[in-house]
Each structure stands twice: as structure tokens, then as C-alpha cells.
């Protein structure tokens, strides 16, 4: 995949960071998108460049159509093509339904679901002209099982699965595959804030008995982005230690 170019949204930290580094390690040029943490994004770019890879950081809010278009256009202007899009950017605004504010609902839907639509639509035309593309959407295990306090997050991530399957059917004839990855509980900044008792309780729900590592997700994304996965589209791959089976 040495001539391939990837865009990874929300790549300054957590799963997105791991995905960007994993793709770069496989020789892929990476566009590291970030919304606000420029120093973290530049650290990812620096790490890729120090390892001999090519990467740039591009600021943009995926919920904004113009930002999504700028992200794709910058990738095209810099590297000449876009082969892989990883829709990873996401936020949480957890609250019980009865207490959830309208803005908490709207903000999560805008970034976690509309952001996937915006970036996918922006990248579709160049991928169709190339007659090649790999789109991987990061959904969540909670989209498959629900979760109290996350009505907004689960609704958005469930929408991502539907969007994945519809886009897979629309784009298959142009040799563009669209798949989703559904991480379970992964060791990120989000889970780092949990106390040990909560982590132990989570571990008991996971057949493999541990939280996942961002690398576990990154390697699955890299597989779906590779030519080894050329006959896989419209699928949801759970990376959850067996939580949902």
C-alpha cells in the first residue's frame, strides 16, 4: 500500500492516533485531521515523519460541510489522491435521557453522524474517478447493544452503521468498499478517567477479561483498508473482546 493516501479524522489522540500511526507504518501517506488539539496532531505528524513516513495535519470540524471539503481538497492538493477515509472523529455528551439537553443531542449527532456523511460525500467523487476506495467508519459496541446515559451517542453510532451499509451498496460498483468497526471498551483518555472499581466491573462483562488497546482497533482498520479485504463491504467488525456475539 506504499502509494496510498489516507485521511483519518480525529487523529490527534486515542483510536484515531493509533490508526494514523498504524497506516503510516504500512507506508501509507496520512492526513491527520484534528478539531482543536493542534499540538497533539503535530506530534502525530512528527512521529510519522521521524519514522520515514509522510503526513500533514489539517484542522477542521467534520460537522461543517466546508471543513470536510477542505480536508479532502488539501489531501488531493498535497498528495494527489485519496484512497482511504477513516471516519473516526467523535465526541460524547453523556446524560440520562430525561436530563439530556437539546444541545447535547445536537452536538453529538452533528459530529458523530453528520460528520461521517460530510467526509464521505466529499471523498466519494475523487474515489469514484479513481475507481478505488476504502472507507472505514468507527462506530461502537453500544450501537449494537444500547447504553444508559448515551442515547445521543448510541443513536449517532447506530446511524453510522445504517449509513455504512447504504453507502456500501451505492459505491460497490466503483470498487469502493465501505465497512464499519465497532470498538468495545478501549484504553483511551475516555476510559482512563474511570476508577479501578468501574474498570473491574467492565472487565467482568468482557469474555477476554480486559479492556482493548487502541492498537487492537488500528490493526483491524488497517486490514479493512488493505487489498486483503477487497471482497468485504457493508460489514460491521466488532473489536470488543467478545462483548457482543
Amino acid at each position: 500500500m506504499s502509494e496510498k493516501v489516507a485521511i483519518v479524522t480525529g487523529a490527534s489522540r486515542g483510536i484515531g492516533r493509533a490508526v494514523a500511526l498504524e497506516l503510516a507504518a504500512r507506508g501509507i501517506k496520512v492526513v491527520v485531521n484534528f478539531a482543536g488539539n493542534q499540538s497533539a496532531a503535530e506530534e502525530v505528524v512528527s512521529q510519522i515523519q521521524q519514522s520515514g513516513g509522510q503526513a500533514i495535519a489539517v484542522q477542521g470540524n467534520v460537522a461543517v460541510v466546508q471543513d470536510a471539503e477542505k480536508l479532502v481538497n488539501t489531501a488531493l492538493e498535497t498528495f494527489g489522491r485519496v484512497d482511504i477515509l477513516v471516519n473516526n472523529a467523535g465526541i460524547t455528551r453523556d446524560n440520562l435521557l430525561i436530563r439530556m439537553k437539546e444541545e447535547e443531542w445536537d452536538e453529538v449527532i452533528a459530529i458523530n453522524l453528520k460528520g461521517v456523511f460530510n467526509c464521505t460525500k466529499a471523498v466519494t467523487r475523487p474515489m469514484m474517478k479513481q475507481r478505488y476506495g476504502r472507507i472505514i467508519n468507527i462506530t461502537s459496541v453500544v450501537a449494537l447493544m444500547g447504553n444508559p446515559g448515551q442515547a445521543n451517542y448510541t443513536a449517532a453510532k447506530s446511524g453510522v452503521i445504517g449509513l455504512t451499509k447504504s453507502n456500501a451498496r451505492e459505491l460497490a460498483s466503483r470498487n469502493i468498499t465501505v465497512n464499519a468497526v465497532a470498538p468495545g471498551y478501549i484504553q483511551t483518555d475516555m476510559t482512563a478517567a474511570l476508577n479501578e472499581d468501574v474498570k473491574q466491573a467492565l472487565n467482568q462483562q468482557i469474555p477476554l477479561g480486559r479492556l482493548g488497546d487502541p492498537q487492537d482497533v488500528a490493526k483491524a482498520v488497517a486490514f479493512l483498508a488493505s487489498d486483503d479485504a477487497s471482497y468485504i463491504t457493508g460489514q460491521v467488525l466488532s473489536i470488543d473482546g467478545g462483548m457482543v456475539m
Side-chain angles (χ1 to χ4, degrees), residues 26-197:
R26 298 179 185 223
I28 298 170
K29 301 166 186 171
V30 182
V31 176
V32 176
N33 162 252
F34 67 99
N37 197 337
Q38 182 171 356
S39 61
E42 290 177 347
E43 191 277 330
V44 176
V45 170
S46 176
Q47 187 169 334
I48 291 171
Q49 292 173 339
Q50 288 175 14
S51 300
Q54 296 185 53
I56 59 170
V58 179
Q59 193 276 336
N61 179 352
V62 298
V64 179
V65 172
Q66 292 82 359
D67 282 15
E69 292 173 347
K70 183 189 76 173
L71 178 61
V72 173
N73 289 336
T74 303
L76 293 170
E77 291 164 5
T78 305
F79 296 123
R81 58 188 292 127
V82 179
D83 303 282
I84 301 158
L85 169 65
V86 182
N87 283 307
N88 167 75
I91 62 168
T92 57
R93 296 290 183 268
D94 296 351
N95 215 339
L96 293 175
L97 177 64
I98 198 167
R99 299 174 183 163
M100 187 170 287
K101 300 174 183 175
E102 183 179 3
E103 54 265 33
E104 291 173 329
W105 172 272
D106 288 345
E107 192 173 2
V108 169
I109 296 297
I111 294 176
N112 295 14
L113 180 55
K114 185 183 176 186
V116 176
F117 164 76
N118 286 342
C119 292
T120 301
K121 184 174 181 182
V123 85
T124 294
R125 193 175 298 279
M127 281 186 175
M128 289 175 69
K129 289 177 67 176
Q130 292 170 180
R131 299 190 71 82
Y132 181 91
R134 299 281 184 268
I135 299 172
I136 300 104
N137 299 324
I138 307 299
T139 177
S140 170
V141 67
V142 301
L144 303 171
M145 55 188 278
N147 204 31
Q150 290 195 307
N152 47 5
Y153 189 78
T154 54
K157 292 298 188 180
S158 297
V160 167
I161 292 175
L163 185 60
T164 297
K165 292 177 180 292
S166 292
N167 290 343
R169 289 187 181 277
E170 287 188 21
L171 300 173
S173 65
R174 301 302 181 100
N175 195 30
I176 300 169
T177 64
V178 188
N179 291 288
V181 168
Y185 292 109
I186 305 297
Q187 298 183 68
T188 63
D189 293 347
M190 211 176 294
T191 53
L194 302 176
N195 64 46
E196 284 304 313
D197 289 343

